Amino acid sequence: MPLPWTRPVLAGQLQDLGLERGDAVLVHAALRQVGPILGGPDALIDAFTDVLGPEGTLLGYCDWQAEEDAFADPALRPHVPPFDPERSRSIRDNGAFPELLRTTPGARRSGNPGASCAALGGQADWFTADHALDYGYGTQSPLGKLVEAGGKTLMLGAPLDTMTLLHHAEHLARFPDKPVKRFEVPLLINGATRWRWCEEFDTANAPPGLPEDYFATVVRDYLATGAGQTGRVGNADCVLVAAPEILAFAVHWLEQHYRTVGN
């Protein structure tokens, strides 16, 4: 294969993997795994839009680069930059792809700071509108809408334990004593900073008794059923799954394994 990778070749690989025109796909990308790209990461985003077409939508999980250490410091709190969907940077822990997508012309970003997603394409406005500030990984979120739309999730060289859609499964799964956290966030509202208390299930930690990287086990168990597609984009090993199917699998997996752990 040619090096560096070109936009048409990457588009062909995405199609071979199973992406189709009109799809909505949430992408987690480790860009270094792809290898050199002619035109850089922007050419990869262009390859996605070539495959998805104007009616398709490309999504990335942003979170935000919060200055949380300053939130409780009386001297610093008045100077903490508020969350602004149009300007606040994506968290660095998620790699460069979400921020590159967020800053692509035409992209939108949802309004829940920690659960925020960027979207580019035909349904970008719908995916990012009305993101709940409480329980932001629930049904009123880009994750919930991805399932509603029959979308897909692509791990493009990214570790399987970073599949954000499974936080939606944690929200939906029924098991006792789900850890809940309450926290304050500064929001930019009408040009001013407003602090708001928020509440959500604790997505920073695995449910009691499960390892922190259990998402990877869920994905591997799902793939072992014969579902999903694997392949390569550039040099990156990839996994593509249907959002509704892996969500249902993960909810059942969580409920069954939590019962096992608890007994």
Side-chain angles (χ1 to χ4, degrees):
M1 299 298 293
L3 288 176
W5 300 101
T6 64
R7 173 175 171 175
V9 170
L10 293 170
Q13 291 175 322
L14 291 169
Q15 288 177 315
D16 291 343
L17 189 61
L19 280 183
E20 300 175 343
R21 190 175 185 86
D23 276 345
V25 58
L26 174 61
V27 176
H28 298 274
L31 295 175
R32 289 183 182 179
Q33 298 298 316
V34 179
I37 302 172
L38 185 64
D42 290 327
L44 176 61
I45 292 175
D46 289 338
F48 274 107
T49 59
D50 290 343
V51 173
L52 300 176
E55 64 270 40
T57 309
L58 175 63
L59 298 101
Y61 173 51
C62 296
D63 199 334
W64 72 307
Q65 196 62 40
E67 305 288 346
E68 292 184 355
D69 291 342
F71 285 10
D73 187 327
L76 295 176
R77 185 179 167 99
H79 308 289
V80 172
F83 174 72
D84 177 356
E86 295 185 2
R87 296 191 60 196
S88 297
R89 298 294 185 187
S90 306
I91 193 169
R92 299 186 188 97
D93 292 351
N94 291 355
F97 181 80
E99 182 64 9
L100 289 166
L101 179 62
R102 184 191 73 81
T103 54
T104 297
R108 302 289 186 264
R109 202 250 197 94
S110 63
N112 179 303
S116 64
C117 292
L120 177 70
Q123 291 187 288
D125 288 328
W126 177 72
F127 271 108
T128 56
D130 303 320
H131 192 166
L133 288 172
D134 294 311
Y135 296 95
Y137 297 92
T139 53
Q140 193 179 332
S141 71
L143 302 180
K145 291 179 179 180
L146 185 70
V147 174
E148 179 184 343
K152 300 173 180 177
T153 288
L154 172 61
M155 311 304 290
L156 201 162
L160 298 182
D161 65 356
T162 62
M163 186 180 285
T164 304
L165 180 62
L166 299 190
H167 286 313
H168 188 39
E170 289 178 326
H171 175 93
L172 296 175
R174 295 169 295 178
F175 53 82
D177 303 321
K178 277 189 184 181
V180 173
K181 65 177 183 180
R182 298 190 73 246
F183 53 95
E184 267 191 301
V185 292
L187 304 174
L188 183 67
I189 300 176
N190 296 326
T193 300
R194 297 286 184 265
W195 288 85
R196 186 191 190 278
W197 281 98
C198 298
E199 183 174 290
E200 68 181 25
F201 296 121
D202 186 0
T203 58
N205 300 290
L210 295 176
E212 290 300 318
D213 62 350
Y214 85 92
F215 277 12
T217 302
V218 174
V219 178
R220 285 193 292 266
D221 287 354
Y222 176 76
L223 295 174
T225 69
Q229 293 85 36
T230 60
R232 280 198 165 193
V233 174
N235 298 324
D237 293 324
C238 298
V239 169
L240 180 69
V241 297
E245 283 80 359
I246 197 167
L247 177 74
F249 181 91
V251 168
H252 178 75
W253 190 101
L254 262 171
E255 292 176 348
Q256 294 301 115
H257 282 72
Y258 187 85
R259 292 192 186 100
T260 301
V261 168
N263 292 330

